[in-house]
């Protein structure tokens, strides 16, 4: 899979811009706040279905404009396709090959792996950020998983609203919510466990390669349900029993205290918890392995390499880890950002695009 171009209209700092990319390594260089990350944000918008930076879509609109538009052209299994997004006056529209479509039908059409500085510190960040990493990675390979997350979010909101009622809650309605939550939670948990089993093997292999066999990395999924409960029916029953047994506690707290919305990922290096005991270099090896593993799984699912978006991460890596990632560029399209144009001089055939104030100029 390769992206051919991205067109921006009143998106972030760009009033009007069109960038074209080669199949190999493409470098966006320029000063800070020049608009480099904006391009990656626009591209990844179509892979994730939403921005990885903005909480509100209105934040994407250039100051003073009434709305914004993004279009990408790309090849997928040898066929050229387009995806578009329009946001004007609070109304949004998505298209595929010029035909209007809901977001759920555009997910998985264009696939990309994003690697940004925040990911380098994912080991030490919050459980919510680690869950977001997992959700974003799985979203491109499983529309059913995205749908389950949506159902879970709505049910959880309804349950919490019921728990907050000052006059008490309807017991039958609470039982109904918990029954539905048990089913959708089981769907999410089993999907996460299956994905992490694949990701864990990839991470372990990559960390061993980076360290010359000196380091062994593992991922543990921390949740309310014991690992031996693996069948969907058993997981549903476990959640049902958990919710019923703790209803009084949740009523006192006026919020849900259990469920997949509180799960976490725990990382280990050589048997010791990485958050507490691993060096910064070891933590970054695990983070790098996570993103490469995400790409490996994605490639296996879609039958071709996704597009890799690297947002100013090489400058944060030491030479060994930098060399490792650069040695794996063959056969992959990379769009990378950096402040200096010579950051990728070690590679041949790099297309360089200068970013300045929301304008983009190819080097000649």
């Amino acid at each position: 899979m390769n992206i051919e171009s991205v067109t921006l209209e009143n998106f972030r700092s760009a009033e009007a811009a069109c960038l074209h990319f080669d199949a190999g390594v493409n470098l966006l260089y320029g000063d800070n706040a020049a608009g480099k990350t904006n391009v990656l944000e626009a591209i990844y918008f179509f892979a994730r279905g939403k921005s990885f930076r903005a909480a509100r879509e209105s934040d994407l609109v250039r100051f003073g404009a009434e709305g914004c538009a993004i279009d990408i052209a790309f090849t997928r299994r040898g066929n050229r396709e387009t995806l578009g997004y329009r946001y004007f006056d609070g109304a949004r529209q998505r298209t595929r090959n010029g035909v209007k479509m809901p977001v759920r039908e555009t997910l998985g059409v264009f696939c990309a792996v994003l690697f940004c500085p925040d990911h380098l510190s994912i080991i030490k960040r919050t459980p919510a950020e680690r869950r977001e990493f997992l959700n974003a990675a799985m979203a491109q390979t499983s529309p059913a998983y995205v749908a389950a997350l949506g159902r879970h979010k709505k049910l959880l909101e309804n349950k919490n609203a019921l728990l907050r009622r000052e006059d008490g809650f309807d017991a039958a309605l609470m039982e109904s919510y918990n029954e539905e939550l048990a089913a959708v939670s089981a769907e999410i948990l089993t999907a996460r466990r299956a994905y992490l089993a694949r990701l864990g093997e990839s991470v372990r292999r990559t960390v061993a390669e980076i360290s010359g066999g000196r380091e062994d990395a593992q991922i543990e999924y921390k949740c309310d349900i014991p690992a031996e409960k693996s069948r969907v029916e058993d997981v549903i029953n476990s959640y049902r029993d958990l919710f019923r047994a703790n209803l009084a506690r949740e009523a006192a707290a006026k919020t849900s205290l259990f469920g997949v919305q509180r799960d976490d990922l725990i990382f280990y290096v050589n048997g010791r918890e990485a958050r507490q005991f691993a060096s910064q270099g070891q933590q970054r090896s695990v983070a790098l392995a996570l993103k490469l593993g995400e790409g490996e799984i994605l490639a296996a699912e879609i039958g071709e390499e996704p597009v890799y978006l690297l947002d100013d991460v090489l400058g944060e890596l030491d030479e060994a880890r930098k060399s490792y990632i650069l040695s794996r560029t063959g056969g992959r399209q990379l769009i990378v950002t950096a402040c200096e144009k010579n950051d990728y001089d070690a590679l041949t055939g790099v297309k360089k695009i200068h970013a300045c104030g929301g304008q983009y100029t190819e080097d000649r």
Side-chain angles (χ1 to χ4, degrees), residues 196-207:
L196 286 170
R198 299 173 68 183
L199 184 63
E201 287 299 316
S202 178
V203 167
R204 190 171 193 173
R205 183 175 63 253
T206 298
V207 170

Side-chain angles (χ1 to χ4, degrees), residues 36-47:
K36 305 185 298 293
T37 301
N38 296 346
V39 175
L40 301 194
E41 179 183 22
I43 295 170
Y44 194 63
F45 188 92
F46 293 101

Side-chain angles (χ1 to χ4, degrees), residues 79-92:
N79 298 315
R80 188 177 188 275
E81 296 205 37
T82 62
L83 288 171
Y85 168 77
R86 302 286 182 277
Y87 180 82
F88 287 93
D89 295 326
R92 61 190 62 81

Side-chain angles (χ1 to χ4, degrees), residues 175-317:
E175 178 71 13
S176 174
Y177 285 155
N178 279 337
E179 188 70 25
E180 292 183 73
L181 274 171
V184 73
S185 296
E187 184 179 348
I188 292 169
L189 176 61
T190 53
R192 285 177 175 175
R193 281 175 168 173
Y195 184 88
L196 286 170
R198 299 173 68 183
L199 184 63
E201 287 299 316
S202 178
V203 167
R204 190 171 193 173
R205 183 175 63 253
T206 298
V207 170
E209 290 175 356
I210 293 173
S211 65
R214 296 185 302 274
E215 295 168 3
D216 176 67
Q218 293 182 318
I219 307 173
E220 175 189 344
Y221 186 63
K222 184 179 179 181
C223 64
D224 299 317
I225 309 302
E228 59 267 22
K229 301 283 187 180
S230 57
R231 294 194 316 130
V232 174
E233 294 83 359
D234 293 337
V235 177
I236 292 174
N237 290 333
S238 295
Y239 273 121
R240 183 187 295 119
D241 293 343
L242 182 70
F243 296 152
R244 285 174 176 168
N246 290 280
L247 183 55
R249 287 181 61 190
E250 292 186 327
K254 295 188 179 299
T255 191
S256 300
L257 300 175
F258 303 91
V260 293
Q261 76 279 3
R262 293 177 177 268
D263 293 352
D264 197 3
L265 303 178
I266 310 297
F267 302 95
Y268 297 88
V269 175
N270 293 335
R272 292 158 62 88
E273 189 173 339
R275 182 183 179 91
Q276 298 182 44
F277 301 107
S279 67
Q280 185 181 70
Q282 288 172 324
Q283 291 181 14
R284 292 188 170 194
S285 288
V286 175
L288 173 59
L290 283 169
K291 299 309 293 185
L292 292 176
E294 177 188 341
E296 184 178 299
I297 293 172
L298 194 50
E301 290 293 321
I302 66 176
E304 58 185 346
E305 288 285 355
V307 177
Y308 286 79
L309 309 172
L310 279 62
D311 187 20
D312 200 24
V313 292
L314 287 198
E316 302 290 330
L317 298 173

Side-chain angles (χ1 to χ4, degrees), residues 4-81:
E4 296 178 354
S5 65
V6 59
T7 303
L8 311 175
E9 178 186 341
N10 290 323
F11 180 84
R12 294 290 193 179
S13 60
E15 181 177 2
C18 184
L19 292 80
H20 296 269
F21 304 105
D22 288 349
V25 180
N26 301 266
L27 173 65
L28 276 165
Y29 71 93
D31 295 336
N32 292 328
K36 305 185 298 293
T37 301
N38 296 346
V39 175
L40 301 194
E41 179 183 22
I43 295 170
Y44 194 63
F45 188 92
F46 293 101
R48 182 69 176 96
K50 62 181 182 180
S51 167
F52 71 90
R53 301 162 75 198
R56 302 172 302 176
E57 286 173 283
S58 58
D59 295 336
L60 305 176
V61 180
R62 188 174 66 89
F63 182 75
E66 295 181 354
C68 67
I70 323 169
D71 293 278
I72 61 170
F74 60 101
T75 55
R76 178 175 181 261
R77 300 191 181 107
N79 298 315
R80 188 177 188 275
E81 296 205 37

